[in-house]
Amino acid sequence: MRNTREIIGEEKVKSKFGLEFLKPSHRKKEIERKFLDEWEKIFKETNSAFKVLKNRLKNRIVELKKERRRGKKIIGYFCNFTPEELIYASNSIPVRLCSGSFQATFIFDENLISDTCPLIKSSFGLILSNSLFYNFCDVIILPLVCDGKRKLSEILSEFSDVWILKIPRTKSEIDKYLSDLYVIKEKLENLTGNKINRKSLENSIKTFHKRTEVFREFLNLKKESPGLIGSLETNLIGFTSFFDDVEIWTNNLKKICENMKRNKKEEKENKIRILLTGSPIIFPNTKILKIIENYANVVVDNFCFTEHLYHSVEVDDWSMKGMMRALANKYIAPSICPCLLSEEDRIDRTLQLIEDFKVDGVIYYQLRNCQLFDLEYLKMRQVFLRKKIPIFKIVSDYSTQDTEQLRIRIETFIEMIKRGKK
Amino acid sequence: MKLEILRRIVRILSFIIIIYGGMIAYYFGIRNFPVIPISLPISYAAGEKTFFDKNYGIHFFEDILMTQLPIYLILTTSIVFLISLILFGSSWCGWICPLGVLQDGISFVRRFFKINGFKLSKKIEKFFDYYRYFNLFSILLLSFLIGDYFINITNISSFRDLHGKVSVSKTSCPGTALCFVRGELETTIKRLTPPSQPIRLFFYFLGLFSLTLYLGSFFIDRLYCRICPTGAINFLFNRGSFLSIEKNTQKCTKCKVCLEVCPMGQEKIYKEKISKNVDSYRCLKCFKCVEKCPEDNALQIKLGKYTIFSSKFKKVEE
């Protein structure tokens, strides 16, 4: 009996160690079309000031191709535990591979029907199908964060070079991470042939510091007039930082901030203010943002990638060791990722944001099958209820099936806040 | 105003006044200084070429134990000392102490050339926490054994040899480096040559040890301050002094910059999660942590009720 898949005409991809995966070439077009459609659509809904970013995705893909032909290395990474500064200092390009594409998850499902984290499924799919900017990486740096990423590193190592970055389980073990950074640094130097010396690292730290400065300015703008910048915009900005060049990104955001300052008057009407936190909502998985925006203003979205932009490497001692220490500190110490024993750091941070942005209610988003975010919620809920801040958890994945159900639940939650306010 | 600039100005001014002030006064013909009641007992003026040659901190306490000082001197100086400690805690260490200023100067050279430094591990830091007080009490005990009172009571011969000849706190003080700065090369050489007497050799090595620690501040910030006996006294008054650091635990993002910046490796400011009060024993009150903190108003310097300075996110300098 012939395999049904063979009838359809699907080829198989052989990995380094002889494992066979279905070749997802038929998916590639669909993924890219959907992705670009969403990309176009989002600019119709967002503020006109954000038009600057519109061409960035397509242009960047062309740019990356060019740079690669010129011999620059492109280094993919996951999570906000990978030091971009180091990659940038070695004169190669960091590209973050975390993905939110629903279509890409099918590629994983075709090979193995499983209940894993959709982020991992999707990223795997995009990398296997070589779509968009996900296909240029010479090396993938994968921090061993949660269990999903741990195993993903194994799977991905079948197709490309994967460097593992060990992440400590507690924040006090920061020295282990630091020693691992030195390993990554050496590997980067060997790959690119460029020495990461004091000057290049100092330069790159300063460049990334400027990114933080502009992002904080952007957040301040949001704080002053919260209706002006919605969560779609913030999410877009976060997402563009995944693939865009730092300097271009910083300049673009600067332009956006200036534009926004000029248009300050056109504020939306007074809506309920929502803080959105939890698992990262990565473009094009923006369905929840769109639902909430219908009923309320999302004034803060506190995800790992926005936090990553918010923090900067603060160096006191500009020697090589001092800078590396500061790097390690930045990536581990203020992290709110639940994979670390963060000791209520996330709760403190969220409480502070609630105070700063005068938030009415909190929506906690959890990607389906993410244990860590699920368990983190337990403590958070108790603390928030004690402080009489309404908090509400939604569990969802990248599929659009549950949109209506989510809409009803979110609407009722916001209705409840409104009544509570009166 | 930038705290860094203010600190530098205060440090350089106080360094000049303390180290060269006596010489300057001597040059202008002022021979006898009255006791100036500012935060520290400044006396024994111009004749000694400095404002205070004998009497600050550990040297003062040693003098009390060793020689029969007039009571009015003991009272006035100790009261002034106490009041300054209650008001400002150990900010003497971070802002004025010439030994500290010179150490910072040494580490500034390292920072300027961007040479790799070290950080002490937690274990060593903890060891020094105990050693500092061991150092203080051993100095006080030894000076008491050598001093007038003990000799008057008992007649132990080995101590009799040393009576009035050795000052424990001074031999174990890295002030040798300061003598060098002051232009007293003779004293420096005298202190650096090993003595012939075997008992004195012990004190000689004690001094050499602290001098190496002192010069070690090239690689490790404020290394000598880890064992400084005067600091040991100052640190005791740190908690509850009027000049204090306050932390907003909610605003803090635990980014660890305060610990990274701290010359004494004090973890309390980073780790504290409940209480506002983050003053700790091992703290110089240099307020570097407040200055470098990237979170707006997360750390504040308070004088009593009033906020003097609060932290702010800073743009990187070109």
Side-chain angles (χ1 to χ4, degrees), chain A residues 317 321 325, chain B residues 110 115-120 218-221:
Chain A
D317 178 354
K321 265 189 176 179
R325 231 178 11 239
Chain B
R110 174 179 73 78
I115 299 162
N116 284 338
F118 298 98
K119 288 246 162 193
L120 289 178
F218 183 77
F219 291 111
I220 302 164
D221 288 349

Side-chain angles (χ1 to χ4, degrees), chain A residues 227 267-272 294 297:
Chain A
E267 263 187 65
K268 290 178 192 171
E269 78 263 43
N270 242 348
K271 280 180 174 176
I272 296 287
N294 283 336
N297 279 339

Side-chain angles (χ1 to χ4, degrees), chain A residues 7 10 24 29 43 78 154 160 163 223 226 252 258 294:
Chain A
I7 298 165
E10 281 175 4
K29 270 182 192 168
F43 287 100
F78 280 88
E154 260 182 24
S160 63
W163 295 348
K223 203 185 285 180
N252 280 342
E258 276 164 18
N294 283 336

Side-chain angles (χ1 to χ4, degrees), chain A residues 220-347:
Chain A
N220 280 339
L221 207 67
K222 222 177 148 179
K223 203 185 285 180
E224 282 163 18
S225 45
L228 197 60
I229 304 161
S231 64
L232 273 176
E233 283 95 330
T234 324
N235 204 274
L236 193 70
I237 281 169
F239 179 67
T240 38
S241 78
F242 282 20
F243 58 85
D244 215 344
D245 184 59
V246 208
E247 287 171 42
I248 296 171
W249 188 88
T250 328
N251 283 335
N252 280 342
L253 192 56
K254 232 182 230 170
K255 270 181 216 161
I256 289 168
C257 283
E258 276 164 18
N259 263 333
M260 289 310 228
K261 268 176 201 164
R262 242 177 272 145
N263 307 338
K264 232 177 193 176
K265 280 165 195 169
E266 45 171 87
E267 263 187 65
K268 290 178 192 171
E269 78 263 43
N270 242 348
K271 280 180 174 176
I272 296 287
R273 292 146 166 263
I274 292 290
L275 182 144
L276 192 58
T277 185
S279 308
I281 292 178
I282 299 164
F283 187 85
N285 170 37
T286 46
K287 61 171 182 189
I288 284 162
L289 300 179
K290 282 175 189 165
I291 295 167
I292 303 170
E293 291 273 277
N294 283 336
Y295 306 103
N297 279 339
V298 179
V299 277
V300 201
D301 8 18
N302 187 31
F303 301 123
C304 62
F305 56 89
T306 47
E307 276 296 287
H308 173 56
L309 294 171
Y310 178 80
H311 291 294
S312 58
V313 181
E314 297 289 333
V315 189
D316 177 49
D317 178 354
W318 288 97
S319 66
M320 193 71 207
K321 265 189 176 179
M323 281 191 283
M324 290 298 274
R325 231 178 11 239
L327 264 181
N329 281 349
K330 187 241 157 161
Y331 283 94
I332 296 293
S335 172
I336 55 166
C337 183
C339 74
L340 293 169
L341 265 184
S342 52
E343 299 152 10
E344 301 183 354
D345 288 357
R346 187 184 201 100
I347 295 171

Side-chain angles (χ1 to χ4, degrees), chain B residues 158-174:
Chain B
S158 60
F159 291 127
R160 176 146 279 228
D161 295 343
L162 290 170
H163 172 58
K165 288 172 189 164
V166 180
S167 154
V168 190
S169 72
K170 269 187 195 168
T171 41
S172 69
C173 179

Side-chain angles (χ1 to χ4, degrees), chain B residues 82-91 233-246 268 275-283 285 287 302-305:
Chain B
L82 203 68
I83 288 170
S84 79
L85 279 178
I86 287 166
L87 279 179
F88 303 114
S90 64
S91 44
I233 301 165
N234 289 355
F235 293 168
L236 290 175
F237 292 85
N238 244 344
R239 301 185 76 174
S241 71
F242 273 77
L243 195 65
S244 63
I245 305 172
E246 218 178 82
K268 173 136 191 198
S275 128
K276 264 185 177 183
N277 188 6
V278 282
D279 289 315
S280 49
Y281 290 111
R282 199 206 312 141
C283 171
K285 299 230 160 159
F287 304 123
K302 293 237 165 181
L303 184 64
K305 275 182 189 174

Side-chain angles (χ1 to χ4, degrees), chain B residues 93-277:
Chain B
C93 298
W95 289 70
I96 297 162
C97 177
L99 281 169
V101 174
L102 207 62
Q103 277 185 85
D104 279 343
I106 293 170
S107 70
F108 179 78
V109 174
R110 174 179 73 78
R111 272 152 202 259
F112 187 78
F113 291 107
K114 292 169 186 172
I115 299 162
N116 284 338
F118 298 98
K119 288 246 162 193
L120 289 178
S121 73
K122 260 186 232 170
K123 271 184 188 170
I124 300 171
E125 212 72 89
K126 205 158 202 181
F127 164 74
F128 277 136
D129 268 352
Y130 293 113
Y131 182 80
R132 180 161 53 241
Y133 289 96
F134 169 75
N135 194 18
L136 171 68
F137 284 110
S138 60
I139 284 172
L140 289 180
L141 187 72
L142 272 175
S143 53
F144 176 69
L145 290 179
I146 295 168
D148 287 348
Y149 300 106
F150 192 73
I151 294 292
N152 285 345
I153 302 162
T154 55
N155 250 331
I156 300 168
S157 57
S158 60
F159 291 127
R160 176 146 279 228
D161 295 343
L162 290 170
H163 172 58
K165 288 172 189 164
V166 180
S167 154
V168 190
S169 72
K170 269 187 195 168
T171 41
S172 69
C173 179
T176 319
L178 285 180
C179 295
F180 185 75
V181 174
R182 221 156 60 188
E184 295 170 15
L185 289 173
E186 278 174 34
T187 330
T188 318
I189 293 162
K190 208 173 102 189
R191 283 198 187 180
L192 285 177
T193 43
S196 51
Q197 264 178 298
I199 296 173
R200 280 195 171 195
L201 217 59
F202 168 70
F203 292 103
Y204 171 73
F205 282 118
L206 209 66
L208 223 56
F209 172 62
S210 56
L211 194 65
T212 43
L213 276 188
Y214 191 80
L215 296 177
S217 64
F218 183 77
F219 291 111
I220 302 164
D221 288 349
R222 294 280 188 139
L223 185 58
Y224 176 71
C225 295
R226 302 296 205 289
I227 65 158
C228 178
T230 309
I233 301 165
N234 289 355
F235 293 168
L236 290 175
F237 292 85
N238 244 344
R239 301 185 76 174
S241 71
F242 273 77
L243 195 65
S244 63
I245 305 172
E246 218 178 82
K247 175 179 169 180
N248 188 329
T249 46
Q250 198 178 297
K251 273 182 182 157
C252 172
T253 55
K254 287 94 192 168
C255 65
K256 219 179 174 181
V257 172
C258 42
L259 177 58
E260 173 62 32
V261 153
C262 184
M264 295 299 274
Q266 177 54 256
E267 277 194 321
K268 173 136 191 198
I269 294 179
Y270 165 58
K271 288 209 164 161
E272 183 62 62
K273 288 193 173 172
I274 301 156
S275 128
K276 264 185 177 183
N277 188 6

